[in-house]
């Protein structure tokens, strides 16, 4: 043994156990686990994941964090694929039949260059097809990196609301015995208020959203009588109803306009008189004909001077029929925005939270008729004078694309929003009121909900799923190490590390194939080494205390033995 050590002082004992093999493939196990975590992240974030961070911090960092996680798992999957394929090739090269020596060059090439390397081998190469097919896995993993920005940009966060005491509010009651006309608000004040109503302040308006279905949903909640912070919401008793409008152009001078029930003769005379006046601004008239039933209220509105029915006749005007139905007392959540001052508090959303839990009087179609008529009396034309010079009246803004001229395609949706504005004012003017205490919901600053949209969820599913499959495939390739009768550690180093490969190649008979290739292209040199070889112990050192590692013809080397010293 001492003689062998003096001759080969750097020889080492090959000793492989289950634990050493497990430690060697730790990245494989970690890759599988992290890709499972990535898929679970997509599942939970697709449903909404609550995290203990402020909404501002989550909005800034979570998109970057998601992209970082995807890139880390991708790099780790690339590393595991390198290791898995290297272990499997090492197993093949230690077998009795050996394997192509060029597979060592394949592993040592850069990931994106492996396909080119495999395609540069001779068509007669025994491992060209196999290496070429496997090379596409590295290209696929590199392409998955390009999807990471899509996943990162599809992350959004939703603030979490929590109950935080109560706030004073004014609740409205539809008790007919207690209704009264307070003479305010008026149509003029409602027109001014309309300038500040947008988005979901009135509920789900078709003029603002495309997912409201047939007609708009008007939600009226309690009125705030206290101070709130930006983003706070107040939950209290309110009302909800459906508003659906249909408009058509009609010659109101014809008798059919009366006989078909759209307007009375008195209404016809009033509208014709206003049309003939040639007023500079459009006007609005609520007809006397109203159909009131137990669960619906049907009214007709004529819009004069709108120039939306062509120039055939000045008496051809848009006649809109509006059906208000599905009345219900409901719990309404009203959300507010503010810059910190009480005067700046603005309603930005009204959502139905659930059924009413109070014993208030149920709202009826007659209540709605009274509220509407109090603001817009029947047969009383209202001239739509601009609130702001150069623009149209704010009540017609939802019927226009430029806030000036009417758009015929927007008349039904805009009329529904206008009705909601008028009804909101009518309820405030006529319904009985009383002070109450409403639940206050505030945004939490210590937590938020982060989510993926549909595209982001699908993107992470694709990335995580493919990476998990490749990681599992790599683990399957590497598992042959645990069943190999001979140690693979030295062979893995030779296959993966050029320095070890060159040191053994210099002592092998294949070295002579490289003579005269000092100025040749790299693929020509590897073609010269395209032969079947085996990694093992030289037959010359079987009886010596220290064996010699060797790359040679399969029949000229022997399998390595665990517990033996090799140089």
């Amino acid at each position: 043994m001492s003689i062998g050590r003096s001759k080969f002082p750097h020889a080492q004992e090959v000793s492989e156990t289950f634990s050493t093999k497990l430690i060697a493939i730790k990245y494989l196990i970690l890759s599988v686990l992290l890709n499972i975590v990535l898929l679970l992240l997509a599942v939970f974030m697709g449903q909404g994941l609550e995290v203990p961070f402020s909404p501002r911090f989550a909005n800034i960092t979570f998109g970057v964090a998601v992209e970082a996680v995807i890139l880390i798992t991708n790099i780790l999957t690339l590393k595991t694929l390198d290791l898995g394929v290297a272990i499997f090739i090492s197993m093949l090269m230690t077998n009795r039949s050996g394997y192509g020596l060029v597979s060592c060059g394949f592993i040592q090439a850069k990931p994106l260059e492996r396909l080119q390397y495999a395609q540069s081998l001779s068509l007669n190469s025994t491992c060209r097809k196999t290496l070429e097919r496997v090379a596409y896995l590295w290209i696929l993993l590199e392409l998955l990196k390009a999807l990471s920005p899509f996943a990162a940009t599809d992350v959004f966060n939703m603030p979490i609301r929590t109950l935080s005491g109560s706030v004073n509010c004014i609740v409205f009651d539809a008790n007919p015995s207690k209704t009264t006309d307070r003479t305010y608000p008026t149509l003029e004040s409602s027109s001014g208020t309309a300038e500040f109503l947008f988005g979901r302040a009135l509920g789900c308006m078709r003029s603002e959203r495309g997912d409201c279905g047939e007609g708009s949903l008007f939600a009226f909640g309690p009125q705030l009588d206290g101070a709130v912070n930006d983003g706070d919401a107040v939950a209290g008793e309110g009302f909800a109803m459906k508003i659906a409008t249909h408009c058509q152009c009609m010659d109101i001078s014809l008798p059919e306009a009366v006989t078909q029930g759209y307007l009375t003769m008195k209404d016809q005379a009033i509208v014709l008189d206003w049309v003939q006046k040639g007023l500079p601004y459009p006007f609005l008239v609520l007809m006397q004909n109203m159909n009131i039933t137990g669960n619906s209220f049907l009214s007709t509105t004529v819009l004069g001077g709108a120039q939306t029915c062509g120039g055939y006749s000045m008496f051809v005007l848009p006649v809109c029929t509006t059906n208000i139905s599905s009345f219900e007392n409901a719990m309404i959540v009203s959300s507010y925005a503010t810059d910190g001052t009480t005067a700046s508090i603005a309603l930005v959303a009204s959502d139905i939270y659930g059924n009413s839990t109070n014993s208030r009087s149920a709202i009826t179609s007659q209540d709605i008729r009274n509220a509407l008529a109090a603001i817009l009396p029947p047969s009383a034309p209202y001239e739509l004078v601009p609130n702001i010079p150069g623009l149209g009246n704010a009540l017609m803004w939802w019927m226009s694309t430029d806030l000036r001229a009417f758009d015929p395609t927007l008349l039904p949706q805009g009329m529904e929003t206008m009705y909601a504005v008028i009804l909101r004012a009518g309820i405030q003017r006529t319904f009985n009121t009383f002070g109450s205490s409403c639940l206050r919901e505030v945004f939490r600053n210590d937590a938020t909900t982060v989510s993926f949209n549909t595209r982001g969820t699908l993107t992470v599913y694709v990335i995580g799923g493919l990476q998990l499959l490749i990681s599992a495939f790599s683990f399957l390739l590497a598992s042959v190490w645990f069943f190999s009768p001979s140690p693979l550690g030295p062979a893995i180093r030779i296959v993966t590390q050029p320095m070890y490969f060159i040191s053994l190649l210099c002592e092998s008979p294949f070295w002579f194939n490289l003579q005269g290739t000092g100025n040749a292209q790299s693929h020509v040199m590897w073609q010269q080494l395209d032969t079947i070889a085996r990694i093992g112990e030289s037959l010359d050192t079987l009886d010596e205390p220290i064996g010699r590692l060797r790359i040679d013809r399969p029949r000229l080397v022997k399998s390595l033995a665990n517990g033996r010293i090799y140089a």
Side-chain angles (χ1 to χ4, degrees):
M1 180 69 69
S2 60
I3 298 176
R5 281 292 188 182
S6 61
K7 187 176 181 181
F8 304 108
H10 304 294
Q12 297 185 66
E13 180 182 356
V14 175
S15 179
E16 294 182 353
T17 62
F18 180 83
S19 60
T20 58
K21 296 176 183 178
L22 200 61
I23 293 174
I25 65 167
K26 58 182 180 295
Y27 290 114
L28 279 165
I29 301 172
L30 183 62
S31 176
V32 173
L33 294 177
L34 287 183
N35 280 302
I36 292 175
V37 170
L38 183 61
L39 289 176
L40 291 176
L41 182 68
V43 172
F44 289 120
M45 286 188 63
Q47 301 170 352
L49 178 65
E50 182 177 334
V51 294
F53 301 106
S54 67
R56 179 178 176 82
F57 180 82
N59 186 50
I60 295 173
T61 61
F62 261 79
V64 178
V66 166
E67 184 168 13
V69 169
I70 292 175
L71 292 177
I72 289 172
T73 56
N74 182 273
I75 294 171
L76 193 58
T77 305
L78 281 167
K79 185 178 181 67
T80 58
L81 183 59
D82 289 346
L83 182 59
V85 174
I87 291 174
F88 193 78
I89 289 177
S90 300
M91 182 273 295
L92 293 176
M93 293 204 67
T94 56
N95 281 345
R96 291 191 176 187
S97 56
Y99 196 63
L101 189 59
V102 290
S103 61
C104 297
F106 177 81
I107 292 297
Q108 294 167 19
K110 296 179 180 178
L112 289 179
E113 296 177 358
R114 284 172 180 157
L115 179 61
Q116 182 181 0
Y117 174 88
Q119 292 175 340
S120 68
L121 297 177
S122 171
L123 295 176
N124 297 323
S125 175
T126 56
C127 51
R128 173 191 166 114
K129 287 185 178 179
T130 302
L131 297 180
E132 185 176 355
R133 292 168 182 170
V134 175
Y136 285 106
L137 293 178
W138 280 276
I139 295 178
L140 176 61
L141 285 175
E142 293 291 345
L143 290 176
L144 290 180
K145 290 180 180 177
L147 296 179
S148 61
F150 294 99
T153 54
D154 289 332
V155 177
F156 65 96
N157 69 293
M158 297 179 295
I160 300 174
R161 294 183 183 272
T162 184
L163 293 176
S164 178
S166 59
V167 64
N168 293 335
C169 62
I170 300 173
V171 176
F172 294 81
D173 187 8
N175 189 341
S177 64
K178 296 183 179 180
T179 57
T180 182
D181 189 350
R182 302 182 184 89
T183 70
Y184 191 86
T186 63
L187 199 55
E188 288 77 11
S189 66
S190 300
S191 175
T193 304
E195 299 177 26
F196 307 102
L197 294 174
F198 57 91
R200 297 186 293 121
L202 297 171
C204 186
M205 297 289 111
R206 285 201 300 159
S207 58
E208 297 280 348
R209 299 169 59 179
D211 58 347
C212 298
E214 296 294 331
S216 300
L217 178 63
F218 170 50
F220 178 87
Q223 303 301 290
L224 188 63
D225 188 27
V228 292
N229 296 320
D230 186 47
D232 287 359
V234 173
E237 300 290 335
F239 308 102
M241 61 201 71
K242 198 80 172 179
I243 303 177
T245 299
H246 170 71
C247 296
Q248 60 180 324
C249 289
M250 181 182 298
D251 191 338
I252 59 165
S253 64
L254 299 177
E256 287 79 2
V258 176
T259 58
Q260 292 178 5
Y262 287 101
L263 61 162
T264 64
M265 294 183 66
K266 176 183 176 182
D267 290 333
Q268 186 182 44
I270 292 173
V271 174
L272 290 175
D273 178 57
W274 273 65
V275 169
Q276 292 171 344
K277 287 181 179 179
L279 299 172
Y281 303 115
F283 64 90
L284 187 70
V285 186
L286 177 64
M287 301 293 101
Q288 285 186 338
N289 285 353
M290 299 181 188
N291 186 10
I292 303 174
T293 62
N295 57 2
S296 68
F297 165 58
L298 195 67
S299 64
T300 304
T301 310
V302 174
L303 193 61
Q307 309 297 329
T308 57
C309 292
Y312 172 72
S313 170
M314 69 170 62
F315 301 117
V316 178
L317 303 177
V319 178
C320 297
T321 302
T322 300
N323 183 27
I324 307 175
S325 60
S326 302
F327 310 106
E328 63 173 325
N329 291 17
M331 182 70 72
I332 305 296
V333 176
S334 303
S335 302
Y336 297 91
T338 177
D339 63 5
T341 60
T342 305
S344 68
I345 297 175
L347 177 67
V348 294
S350 297
D351 300 301
I352 299 176
Y353 188 73
N355 296 327
S356 173
T357 58
N358 197 293
S359 57
R360 294 177 302 148
S361 301
I363 189 171
T364 65
S365 54
Q366 186 62 48
D367 298 325
I368 293 301
R369 186 266 175 205
N370 295 337
L372 179 66
I375 301 296
L376 184 62
S379 304
Y382 175 72
E383 192 172 7
L384 296 171
V385 179
N387 306 79
I388 301 174
L391 300 180
N393 188 282
L395 290 174
M396 59 164 280
W397 282 359
W398 291 278
M399 310 176 203
S400 172
T401 56
D402 59 2
L403 306 184
R404 292 181 177 86
F406 289 93
D407 186 334
T409 62
L410 299 180
L411 279 184
Q413 303 95 308
M415 191 67 68
E416 291 168 5
T417 304
M418 186 195 72
Y419 261 79
V421 173
I422 295 175
L423 285 174
R424 182 173 183 269
I427 292 174
Q428 293 172 336
R429 177 167 169 168
T430 61
F431 279 30
N432 182 41
T433 62
F434 57 90
S436 181
S437 180
C438 295
L439 296 175
R440 181 183 179 187
E441 289 184 334
V442 300
F443 287 126
R444 291 178 57 182
N445 290 323
D446 62 335
T448 187
T449 300
V450 291
S451 304
F452 282 124
N453 60 21
T454 304
R455 188 183 70 172
T457 303
L458 292 175
T459 301
V460 179
Y461 276 145
V462 170
I463 295 174
L466 290 175
Q467 289 183 171
L468 181 59
L469 287 175
I470 293 175
S471 297
F473 172 70
S474 302
F475 185 82
L476 187 64
L477 293 179
S479 64
V480 299
W481 193 359
F482 294 92
F483 304 101
S484 175
S486 60
L488 298 182
I492 294 172
R493 284 199 305 271
I494 295 167
V495 169
T496 58
Q497 300 182 35
M499 186 66 69
Y500 287 94
F501 175 75
I502 293 297
S503 66
L504 263 70
L505 183 65
C506 292
E507 298 181 5
S508 72
F510 309 118
W511 181 259
F512 297 102
N513 296 342
L514 296 178
Q515 292 182 358
T517 60
N519 197 34
Q521 295 180 342
S522 59
H523 73 274
V524 174
M525 301 176 69
W526 280 109
Q527 286 178 358
Q528 297 299 312
L529 297 175
D530 194 357
T531 183
I532 301 298
R534 183 185 182 191
I535 299 175
E537 181 182 354
S538 173
L539 295 179
D540 299 334
T541 62
L542 293 178
D543 298 328
E544 297 182 7
I546 298 179
R548 294 289 306 279
L549 295 176
R550 188 169 179 83
I551 298 178
D552 210 327
R553 306 288 182 186
R555 57 186 176 83
L556 298 180
V557 294
K558 184 186 176 185
S559 298
L560 301 179
N562 206 17
R564 181 169 167 78
I565 300 176
Y566 291 99

